[in-house]
Amino acid sequence: MTEEGESAPTVAVVGGGAVGVTAAHDLAARGADVTLYERDELAAGSSGRAAGVLYDAYAEDVDAAVGARALERFRAFDRSLPGFSFSPCPYVIAVREGDPDADAVPAMVERMRAHGREVSLVDPDALGERFPALRTDDLAVAAVAEGAGWTDPPSYVRALGRRAAREGVAVETETPVALGPRTDAGREIRGRDAGADGNSGAETRAFDAVVVAAGAHTRSLLADAGVSVPVVPYRVQALVCPEPYDGPMVYDATADAYLRPHPDGLLAGDGTEPVPADPDGYRREADDWFREDVAAVLDERLGRDGRTEQIDPDADVSRSWAGLCTATPDGDPLVGPVDADETAGRDSIGAPAPSLFVAAGWQGHGFMRAPAIGETVAEGVLASLAGVASDAPDSPWIGAFDPARFDGDEAFEIAEGMSLSNRTEGE
Ligand SMILES: Cc1cc2nc3c(=O)[nH]c(=O)nc-3n(C[C@H](O)[C@H](O)[C@H](O)COP(=O)(O)OP(=O)(O)OC[C@H]3O[C@@H](n4cnc5c(N)ncnc54)[C@H](O)[C@@H]3O)c2cc1C
């Protein structure tokens, strides 16, 4: 909040996905003068293509705290945000017999529990008794996270976008922007088609702070401002099939596929292509191999009594699509200031506060963490503008997500975000 008599800080948020909309809403709710720029419609990016699986079952302490806060807000929005609903639903992590990852599951569950998450190790027989829709006789071990659920991701973005507008956010859709330099007036934003003189295309405006939450476009957008971040897009896939399903959400870790109930039947996905994808040129339709693989996993996992018909990857799939996730070298996101070099030693008189911030690199977990991350961004930006160093004890920024831990030009392998080996590595 600004002191009486001071003008509100001006903040531009670039990207109208779940993260950008939440950050814009939360910044405005804390008194900032916010403009949200989206090059298309709200939820046109990954948030409009996400599966909407939400859970807090993380083994690492920071992730568990972020997951818990996000789920708390999803539940609160279910009560208070028109157009949004959260459907509670347990989340099962299942590992098949013969999968070496099975050995790591008990310790992973212990760590989740140590962070206060309601997760338990379950014997496959007991799992089958609790959830008769599932076949469990081929499993070595399973865990059930109770504090989970699902939603329709674009409805969250649109509903919070409407609320953000009511909080005073100027929501500029159909407005692609580029980052300009930092001037005495602040960090510049330009219409993306503006010429070198900045006079053609949309207006050029300077803000006290600019937050880049541009999903798969984050790296290229920041590169224009001379900032290099190791946030690499990769392609994942999902489908909906009209198979009646009222069981839990399931992540079959051995098959690397997940499923959840859906109003039209069930939604299933993964189909990770662990290679860099072009955010402007990737294939938006799902691949045949993905539909075939998922149909086979569903046949194996859905073991209801009397079930004889196999799922046909063509005839039984009503919708299938691909979208982009973003990877980072260590699997953690980049959330915080990225022009720290310019502001090093800002405790000394006259040094400027950071003006450019990033929130990206979710490794497939951006939607479910958006309510917590958006809040952190809002509080972090305002603290940074007020002169609080990002590594100060009272800084809202999360140290493990500090963009400064990377140079930006790191070469790294893209790791699938949900895999157990990613989640069971030591803290
Ligand atoms: C098939 C699939 C299933 C998934 N399932 C899940 C799931 O179950 N749970 C989960 O947590 N996550 C899931 N994800 C990941 C999730 O979609 C992302 O992590 C999350 O949506 C990222 O949100 P965001 O706001 O950071 O980015 P986005 O939603 O991509 O938003 C970025 C926005 O920036 C805009 N933009 C880009 N460049 C510019 C520019 N120059 N000017 C203005 N605007 C610009 C884009 O148009 C876009 O709307 C899934 C992803 C896919 C593809």
Side-chain angles (χ1 to χ4, degrees):
M1 282 291 174
T2 52
E3 299 287 325
E4 206 174 325
E6 272 182 37
S7 58
T10 55
V11 184
V13 177
V14 183
V19 175
V21 164
T22 312
H25 168 270
D26 288 8
L27 277 158
R30 286 162 177 75
D33 176 356
V34 185
T35 305
L36 174 66
Y37 291 105
E38 165 53 49
R39 63 189 225 150
D40 203 312
E41 293 302 320
L42 296 185
S46 299
S47 299
R49 309 176 89 77
V53 173
L54 316 175
Y55 55 74
D56 61 359
Y58 291 94
E60 207 276 327
D61 54 354
V62 170
D63 293 334
V66 168
R69 177 61 183 144
L71 266 291
E72 182 182 31
R73 288 194 87 189
F74 277 127
R75 288 196 186 88
F77 284 139
D78 178 64
R79 296 187 292 272
S80 65
L81 186 62
F84 171 77
S85 69
F86 168 83
S87 300
C89 185
Y91 177 76
V92 172
I93 300 169
V95 185
R96 300 186 192 191
E97 274 169 1
D99 183 337
D101 276 347
D103 295 342
V105 173
M108 179 189 80
V109 169
E110 262 324 296
R111 297 215 328 263
M112 291 171 174
R113 292 172 67 88
H115 300 314
R117 304 301 91 223
E118 199 184 344
V119 184
S120 48
L121 202 60
V122 189
D123 166 65
D125 290 343
L127 186 73
E129 274 167 38
R130 178 171 172 192
F131 302 118
L134 297 183
R135 176 182 162 209
T136 62
D137 62 349
D138 60 338
L139 300 183
V141 65
V144 183
E146 306 294 343
W150 54 268
T151 189
D152 173 51
S155 69
Y156 172 86
V157 180
R158 290 180 197 126
L160 206 54
R162 287 191 292 273
R163 176 162 292 176
R166 277 210 304 280
E167 289 280 355
V169 175
V171 180
E172 305 285 352
T173 52
E174 309 287 350
T175 310
V177 295
L179 301 177
R182 183 178 189 148
T183 66
D184 288 345
R187 175 69 61 176
E188 279 187 2
I189 285 279
R190 297 177 170 167
R192 227 218 0 223
D193 299 327
D197 58 5
N199 288 332
S200 53
E203 61 170 337
T204 295
R205 257 186 84 184
F207 293 84
D208 295 324
V210 172
V211 177
V212 177
H217 288 91
T218 296
R219 184 175 214 171
S220 53
L221 200 63
L222 281 168
D224 292 345
V227 174
S228 177
V229 290
V231 174
V232 176
Y234 62 96
R235 194 166 159 270
V236 300
Q237 309 178 61
L239 59 78
V240 171
C241 78
E243 176 83 6
Y245 179 71
D246 63 356
M249 302 190 288
V250 181
Y251 174 54
D252 184 327
T254 310
D256 259 345
Y258 60 84
L259 66 102
R260 71 154 171 92
H262 185 276
D264 298 334
L266 67 77
L267 184 155
D270 201 334
T272 296
E273 257 189 354
V275 291
D278 172 3
D280 293 313
Y282 76 96
R283 189 173 128 83
R284 283 156 171 78
E285 299 78 34
D287 301 331
D288 290 345
W289 66 261
F290 163 73
R291 277 190 299 273
E292 284 158 18
D293 282 6
V294 167
V297 173
L298 294 176
D299 282 335
E300 285 162 338
R301 198 52 47 230
L302 306 182
R304 293 189 313 278
D305 288 343
R307 185 169 179 279
T308 50
E309 300 256 313
Q310 295 207 318
I311 291 174
D312 182 318
D314 296 319
D316 294 335
V317 171
S318 42
R319 238 161 23 94
S320 61
W321 66 95
L324 298 179
C325 290
T326 45
T328 68
D330 62 3
D332 276 335
L334 279 70
V335 185
V338 286
D339 54 356
D341 289 354
E342 296 172 30
T343 61
R346 66 177 169 279
D347 290 343
S348 59
I349 296 164
S355 64
L356 188 57
F357 302 83
V358 66
W362 316 112
Q363 208 86 38
H365 295 77
F367 182 75
M368 68 176 83
R369 293 189 282 183
I373 294 288
E375 187 175 59
T376 299
V377 168
E379 291 177 353
V381 166
L382 296 179
S384 291
L385 291 179
V388 178
S390 44
D391 57 357
D394 57 342
S395 168
W397 295 115
I398 297 168
F401 299 168
D402 184 355
R405 70 191 188 279
F406 298 121
D407 293 334
D409 54 2
E410 289 82 356
F412 66 100
E413 298 278 309
I414 295 172
E416 197 273 313
M418 289 179 110
S419 75
L420 285 190
S421 45
N422 256 11
R423 287 200 268 159
T424 52
E425 274 159 19
E427 290 181 33

